Amino acid sequence: MNRVVPAPDDRRAFMVMHGKTEQSWVDPTDPLRLEFEYVQRIAEVLDETILARPLTENLRVIHVGGGGLTLPRFVAARRPRTSQVVLEPDEELTTAVREKLPLPRNSGIKVRPVDGRTGVAALPSGCADTVIIDAFAGASVPPELATVEFFTEVARTLRPGGQAVMNLTDSAPFGWAKRCLAGIVATFGEVAVSAEVPVWKGRRFGNFVAVGGTDLPLQAFERRLQRAGFPYRLLAGRDLSRWLAGSTPFTDDDAEGSPSPAWSRGWFS
């Protein structure tokens, strides 16, 4: 069961926990403060894409997975009046988050009590500038969120110039991650994936952040990664194709949830 608890190292902050797994970290007094490294990477993608657009543009962001609403709070603080829809099936968690970590008035954030696959299927075509997929059942990505059919639905909801961003986890030899990423590559015109260097080298379990869209600002992504607190590597184009090595996408007929880590501490949402 998910629960909201005070962060042990900061009395201002709270975490969403599933067992011993940290799923969200929120400082309600400072929504721009992002503790988890992978969340920082997603925020950087947003900064270099939709959040860099003229303020006259009305943006819409869809979040598949809510947790403590860390990223919706970040977007609302960086770009007020952005319309955001969060697809979060755990109504008890949403109630606890609203009670302990209330959203600011007129935040533009709406939470729908529905799972990601159902919620995305119900969205109209061409309605979103970005879809962020950061959803876990415990410590695993649900199988229905890793298939080429799901990514096709996500692509359908995007406006021209929109992006899909996904957080996924795995460890060497990355059989699950490669199949999931192959589905993203098969769906979107351009894909870039970042992870810490020790994760790429197979030294430990970790997070991958994938971005799918068109005309991605790869050089800007690279510059951001160079300033990260830990060494990161970005793969795109032929380098990513070589790493995937002909992996076949998951389909609805053979989908699997992502592997859980062999150790107890991790960052999931």
Side-chain angles (χ1 to χ4, degrees):
M1 177 180 292
N2 294 316
R3 64 193 193 282
V4 181
V5 300
D9 53 351
D10 191 328
R11 62 184 181 182
R12 299 171 300 176
F14 292 81
M15 297 188 302
V16 174
M17 301 289 297
H18 182 90
K20 295 182 179 180
T21 302
E22 300 173 4
Q23 293 196 312
S24 296
W25 193 99
V26 180
D27 181 350
T29 67
D30 184 2
L32 299 180
R33 182 182 175 192
L34 306 176
E35 187 75 5
F36 292 173
E37 285 279 326
Y38 89 84
V39 178
Q40 295 172 18
R41 304 289 81 79
I42 294 176
E44 290 166 358
V45 169
L46 300 179
D47 276 337
E48 298 295 342
T49 54
I50 61 167
L51 295 181
R53 295 183 185 179
L55 295 177
T56 53
E57 291 191 29
N58 296 320
L59 302 180
R60 191 179 197 191
V61 180
I62 308 298
H63 301 262
V64 179
L69 305 178
T70 306
L71 280 166
R73 296 171 197 268
F74 170 85
V75 172
R78 282 279 285 107
R79 183 96 171 206
R81 296 181 297 278
T82 298
S83 175
Q84 300 189 79
V85 174
V86 181
L87 309 176
E88 173 52 68
D90 190 338
E91 295 186 68
E92 291 185 5
L93 173 61
T94 298
T95 298
V97 168
R98 289 188 181 278
E99 290 176 350
K100 297 184 178 181
L101 307 168
L103 294 168
R105 294 183 64 183
N106 302 316
S107 68
I109 300 169
K110 297 181 179 180
V111 182
R112 296 179 181 174
V114 64
D115 67 88
R117 188 69 183 262
T118 302
V120 168
L123 293 171
S125 298
C127 70
D129 296 285
T130 295
V131 177
I132 300 171
I133 307 158
D134 186 16
F136 284 77
S140 295
V141 177
E144 68 272 14
L145 301 185
T147 70
V148 71
E149 290 92 344
F150 172 65
F151 298 133
T152 299
E153 279 290 282
V154 169
R156 177 189 59 80
T157 70
L158 292 175
R159 296 169 177 166
Q163 302 87 30
V165 187
M166 183 174 188
N167 170 44
L168 56 139
T169 57
D170 202 357
S171 59
F174 306 115
W176 185 90
K178 288 182 176 181
R179 293 197 65 185
C180 180
L181 291 169
I184 298 175
V185 169
T187 306
F188 295 92
E190 190 173 8
V191 177
V193 184
S194 66
E196 289 186 58
V197 170
V199 176
W200 284 120
K201 291 184 177 180
R203 295 175 181 169
R204 64 174 178 81
F205 186 95
N207 298 76
F208 294 86
V209 172
V211 187
T214 56
D215 298 321
L216 299 179
L218 299 180
Q219 292 183 343
F221 292 165
E222 289 275 14
R223 287 193 296 268
R224 288 292 194 127
L225 292 177
Q226 290 170 6
R227 300 199 295 268
F230 299 94
Y232 270 78
R233 183 185 178 195
L234 184 78
L235 288 188
R238 293 180 180 178
D239 291 337
L240 179 58
S241 296
R242 281 194 291 268
W243 188 75
L244 293 176
S247 299
T248 57
F250 285 118
T251 69
D252 286 343
D253 293 330
D254 67 357
E256 302 173 0
S258 65
S260 297
W263 41 280
S264 61
R265 183 180 175 89
W267 291 343
F268 308 92
S269 187

